Amino acid sequence: MEELLQTELSTSFIDIINESHMHNVPKEAETHFKVVIVSPVFTGLSRVKREQKVQGLLSEEMKTGLHALSIIAKTPEEWEKNDKRDRTQS
């Protein structure tokens, strides 16, 4: 998942957090993830379009076990502006 997003979106930052343990799933499940991603590709795109782009790239994973995906997608400029607060928040 990480390599695909890095390659396709030329990311300057990416963090993929497994949040499966916070849901009613088997102990070792990897079904719920939060993706924090920074890419110049998002410039000029609405939040919805950014999320759709990420979801589109991960469509195969969604078919094979990935159940839920929380996405924070920012441009490099937006990322730098948020340096005084938790960057993993939307």
Side-chain angles (χ1 to χ4, degrees):
M1 189 174 1
E2 185 172 348
E3 185 176 326
L4 172 66
L5 293 173
Q6 284 177 330
T7 300
E8 295 295 322
L9 298 175
S10 302
T11 62
S12 57
F13 177 85
I14 187 168
D15 191 14
I16 300 175
I17 304 155
N18 185 348
E19 295 185 334
S20 301
H21 67 280
M22 300 183 329
H23 300 274
N24 187 21
V25 297
K27 187 174 181 176
E28 299 299 319
E30 293 189 343
T31 57
H32 295 70
F33 288 88
K34 178 178 190 175
V35 176
V36 180
I37 188 166
V38 179
S39 170
V41 172
F42 299 139
T43 302
L45 297 179
S46 69
R47 188 178 125 212
V48 171
K49 293 289 184 192
R50 295 173 187 192
E51 291 178 5
Q52 288 172 339
K53 184 170 278 298
V54 173
Q55 289 170 349
L57 290 170
L58 298 177
S59 62
E60 286 303 312
E61 285 81 355
M62 294 295 281
K63 293 177 186 174
T64 59
L66 178 59
H67 175 72
L69 188 62
S70 170
I71 302 168
I72 297 175
K74 299 195 177 282
T75 66
E77 293 79 18
E78 292 167 337
W79 186 249
E80 289 305 314
K81 285 180 187 177
N82 288 333
D83 64 354
K84 291 184 177 139
R85 56 180 244 195
D86 182 357
R87 292 181 176 188
T88 63
Q89 302 298 313
S90 53

